[in-house]
Amino acid sequence: MKYMLIWRATDEGNAAMEGVDFEKLLETVGRYNDEMIRAGVLVAAEGLVGPEEGVVVDYSSEPPVVTDGPYGETKELFGGFYILNVASKEEAIEWARRAPSFGPGFKTEIRRVTTIDEFPQDNEWIQKERAWREATGQL
């Protein structure tokens, strides 16, 4: 089963990263990634640029309102994510525990990723998505 590990940082955590040697950061994260690759659990991993390049689409009105830049009121921002294919939630938690630690102000949220098998299989849109996933090698 797949789990998403979402890296979250507070303002404190983001401020602490300003003094970190980027090459050392790449080495630390690279070793962790390599460990997951060798274990055969890493499906995807991406970092996210800062919120200053983000866009928010608010659906509380019609048409939805699009605004630039940082989120409204939030105390934590997503910094990146991993998708892991592991045997259990406990294994996902164990991988999160082994992730490089950058100190206070950082958290990892773990969420199970749904599968297409969890949706009604007689729905035409699910059938189309299943066909696309099979054609692209995702199933």
Side-chain angles (χ1 to χ4, degrees), residues 61-108:
S61 64
E62 184 61 36
V65 175
V66 178
T67 55
D68 290 335
Y71 302 97
E73 296 177 31
T74 185
K75 298 184 183 207
E76 296 178 354
L77 294 173
F78 295 167
F81 67 90
Y82 288 99
I83 302 282
L84 305 182
N85 192 0
V86 292
S88 65
K89 179 179 178 180
E90 290 71 27
E91 186 178 354
I93 292 169
E94 183 55 32
W95 280 108
R97 284 186 174 148
R98 294 162 61 178
S101 173
F102 299 105
F106 292 94
K107 297 177 182 175
T108 300

Side-chain angles (χ1 to χ4, degrees), residues 2 16 27 35 45 49 65 70 119:
K2 292 181 184 172
E27 181 179 335
E35 192 176 344
V49 296
V65 175
F119 293 94

